[in-house]
Amino acid sequence: MAIPNPSSSYSLFSFLILSLIISSLHFSFAAAGSSGYFGINYGRIANDLPSPSQVVQLLKSQGLTRVKLYDSDSTVLSAFAGSGIVVSVAMPNENLSAAANSQSFTDSWVQSNILPHYPNTIIEAIAVGNEVFVDPKNTTPFLVPAMNNVYSSLVKYNVSSIKISSPIALSALQNSYPSSSGSFKSELIEPVIKPMLNFLKKTGSYLMVNAYPFFAYSANTDTISLDYALFRENKGVTDPKNGLVYKSLFDAQIDAVFAAMGALNFNDVKMVVSETGWPSKGDENEVGASQGNAASYNGNLVRRVLSGGGTPLRPNEPLNVYLFALFNENQKPGPTSERNYGLFYPNQQKVYDISLTGGEAAATPPAMNNGSKSQVGTKPTTPPATGGGEVSSSTVGQTWCVASNDAEEEKLQAGIDFACGEGQADCRPIQPGAACYDPNNLEAHASYAFNSYYQKNLRKSGSCYFGGAAYVVTQPPKYGNCVFPTGY
């Protein structure tokens, strides 16, 4: 595929500005004491999933702003163009040998898989391989050379702001308890762990880690309490070496990886949890797999991440996490749990109801009507539940609700009618002559009305939906000189 010429669709200046903006996203997790971010893994090993464009709208309706893919499918990346959703893509394990042995291969891969989409699709990172150390095809020796070649190709085409990493499983650890004794398997350290951490440090990237407390709990129910695994109230576990107290198995697992990096003098390398989750269903021997436990784990994890702060070992580093997964995937091999990690069924109905904005789950989820957007009403059938679901600025920071720029005019108008009518939003500022009347267009007026309704309802889950015509943003909306409120 030919390399696109940036000047053919926008100026070089605009391209550079966009690149700077995107680059700044990579460091958003570094502010000490701030809340972390969370995204979601979008796997597609299934034959019944909605189209990528429908997935983009679903993510927007749920306020999800980051997604991680397991490939670099052109159709999927095209669907995310202009969405504002930050995307991580992947180079599959089967490509690592060629990538390690040929710079021309990675040049071609970047030309075909990255350049046609970037920066209209905000590609934040490339995962080179996935859990390579447990790959039965023994691709471990190719990992770091492949990462170096991909990075060289990004530099060659002036897109090196895209980060390079590779998700590792916790099985890469030789010791994980107590957390302070965390260490990598000795046979991995010199051949691959040290070179990989050196690469991440040199390029300003971060280590991707797949962490699943479910596996540890299911295999050790006699010694690990369910409350400890699910972020519920518990007496905690004290690390006997440093006295730190852990209230969750997740924190303990993450700190074991931090300790393992520290033992190799890589305390300055950041981390992103590239996968974590809990199955809503499993086989008889998969103890703990249930909808209730999955809802507790993922719901509590979202609040844990968005409430700010880090782990006991690194308290000032916010947690940055990708939930696994967006959908139940009916063609995944393995035990029943493998096909039941999704937050949503393929028809876009929730498997269980949790808030993805940090509050308690709403009493009733937004109407999905079996996931068919043609059936979704242009306004909620009832106002959001009044019990629970509050999302204050102290837990998730400032957020706003805006109209989707590709929503149908009929949906936008119906949403305005509802918000300004029975929704009791304050729509006086968008009346003729008022402060937010200009710009006088449907999207701007709908955004103001939607946000007023969203803030009035305390930013509860489902209050920024409007039949899929609205989504949550974390930067103040800009429509003329209008100032959008953040609370009432």
Side-chain angles (χ1 to χ4, degrees):
M1 186 174 292
I3 304 171
N5 180 2
S7 64
S8 64
S9 55
Y10 39 78
S11 69
L12 179 60
F13 176 77
S14 298
F15 178 79
L16 292 173
I17 292 299
L18 276 170
S19 297
L20 287 171
I21 292 170
I22 292 165
S23 178
S24 70
L25 289 170
H26 304 313
F27 302 99
S28 63
F29 60 83
S34 65
S35 64
Y37 65 72
F38 76 95
I40 197 155
N41 284 275
Y42 172 23
R44 305 192 328 277
I45 306 177
N47 61 8
D48 55 358
L49 298 182
S51 69
S53 60
Q54 289 176 310
V55 170
V56 170
Q57 292 307 313
L58 174 64
L59 295 173
K60 286 184 174 183
S61 74
Q62 299 299 317
L64 289 164
T65 59
R66 273 183 165 85
V67 67
K68 178 172 158 284
L69 310 177
Y70 290 90
D71 55 23
S72 54
D73 183 88
S74 179
T75 302
V76 174
L77 289 177
S78 295
F80 281 97
S83 68
I85 295 173
V86 179
V87 182
S88 293
V89 302
M91 172 183 281
N93 289 359
E94 53 264 31
N95 291 154
L96 295 188
S97 175
N101 291 311
S102 172
Q103 181 73 61
S104 63
F105 177 88
T106 56
D107 285 352
S108 177
W109 190 89
V110 168
Q111 289 178 42
S112 299
N113 295 276
I114 303 298
L115 299 184
H117 305 286
Y118 183 89
N120 288 337
T121 297
I122 308 174
I123 300 175
E124 179 179 39
I126 300 171
V128 177
N130 184 54
E131 299 189 350
V132 173
F133 306 152
V134 294
D135 185 350
K137 295 182 179 179
N138 192 29
T139 51
T140 297
F142 306 122
L143 177 58
V144 177
M147 294 172 75
N148 275 299
N149 280 348
V150 173
Y151 180 72
S152 295
S153 296
L154 295 181
V155 171
K156 180 176 182 177
Y157 297 115
N158 298 312
V159 289
S160 59
S161 60
I162 298 173
K163 300 303 179 187
I164 304 292
S165 190
S166 185
I168 67 169
L170 287 181
S171 57
L173 297 180
Q174 185 164 296
N175 295 309
S176 60
Y177 181 83
S179 296
S180 57
S181 296
S183 62
F184 291 108
K185 288 181 176 176
S186 55
E187 66 270 22
L188 294 174
I189 291 175
E190 294 300 330
V192 64
I193 295 293
K194 279 188 175 180
M196 180 174 65
L197 292 175
N198 267 319
F199 170 86
L200 298 176
K201 182 176 180 178
K202 177 186 73 174
T203 61
S205 189
Y206 40 79
L207 181 66
M208 290 181 171
V209 176
N210 295 345
Y212 286 91
F214 167 71
F215 294 135
Y217 168 75
S218 185
N220 300 277
T221 55
D222 56 332
T223 56
I224 297 176
S225 82
L226 185 59
D227 289 339
Y228 183 60
L230 298 179
F231 300 93
R232 297 197 299 223
E233 186 64 32
N234 64 90
K235 63 182 181 181
V237 174
T238 302
D239 188 311
K241 292 183 66 176
N242 57 22
L244 294 176
V245 178
Y246 288 87
K247 290 291 188 175
S248 76
L249 179 54
F250 175 85
D251 279 33
Q253 289 182 335
I254 299 308
D255 270 358
V257 181
F258 278 138
M261 287 197 289
L264 301 179
N265 296 314
F266 286 98
N267 284 308
D268 49 353
V269 174
K270 307 294 183 181
M271 184 194 302
V272 167
V273 180
S274 42
E275 284 185 24
T276 190
W278 196 284
S280 60
K281 188 178 181 181
D283 295 321
E284 187 174 346
N285 64 338
E286 294 185 289
V287 182
S290 71
Q291 283 194 10
N293 288 343
S296 290
Y297 180 82
N298 285 319
N300 290 334
L301 175 60
V302 169
R303 287 191 288 275
R304 166 76 181 86
V305 169
L306 297 182
S307 65
T311 62
L313 193 60
R314 294 197 182 182
N316 293 323
E317 290 190 20
L319 289 165
N320 302 292
V321 175
Y322 285 84
L323 297 178
F324 186 86
L326 184 56
F327 296 111
N328 283 343
E329 298 172 69
N330 66 354
Q331 294 185 320
K332 291 198 73 174
T336 297
S337 62
E338 283 295 307
R339 295 174 289 283
N340 290 277
Y341 274 91
L343 271 63
F344 293 87
Y345 294 110
N347 66 4
Q348 301 180 66
Q349 288 186 323
K350 287 185 176 181
V351 176
Y352 42 83
D353 190 20
I354 62 168
S355 168
L356 295 175
T357 53
E360 299 294 333
T364 55
M368 285 303 208
N369 291 344
N370 296 321
S372 171
K373 281 186 167 50
S374 63
Q375 296 174 326
V376 177
T378 54
K379 62 181 181 181
T381 55
T382 59
T386 56
E390 295 188 10
V391 184
S392 69
S393 59
S394 64
T395 58
V396 300
Q398 293 180 318
T399 57
W400 295 261
C401 179
V402 297
S404 175
N405 58 16
D406 56 3
E408 298 172 357
E409 289 188 0
E410 292 80 2
K411 280 192 175 183
L412 294 179
Q413 187 59 59
I416 292 174
D417 293 343
F418 168 75
C420 299
E422 64 182 281
Q424 299 182 357
D426 180 10
C427 296
R428 290 172 296 178
I430 56 175
Q431 300 304 310
C436 293
Y437 180 72
D438 292 320
N440 180 19
N441 63 65
L442 193 58
E443 180 185 338
H445 287 185
S447 292
Y448 190 91
F450 293 176
N451 183 67
S452 177
Y453 177 83
Y454 174 65
Q455 303 295 341
K456 182 181 177 66
N457 285 280
L458 302 176
R459 292 176 277 183
K460 294 172 188 170
S461 176
S463 62
C464 181
Y465 185 64
F466 296 94
Y471 62 101
V472 175
V473 296
T474 57
Q475 297 295 323
K478 297 292 185 183
Y479 292 97
N481 295 319
C482 183
V483 177
F484 278 49
T486 58
Y488 288 96

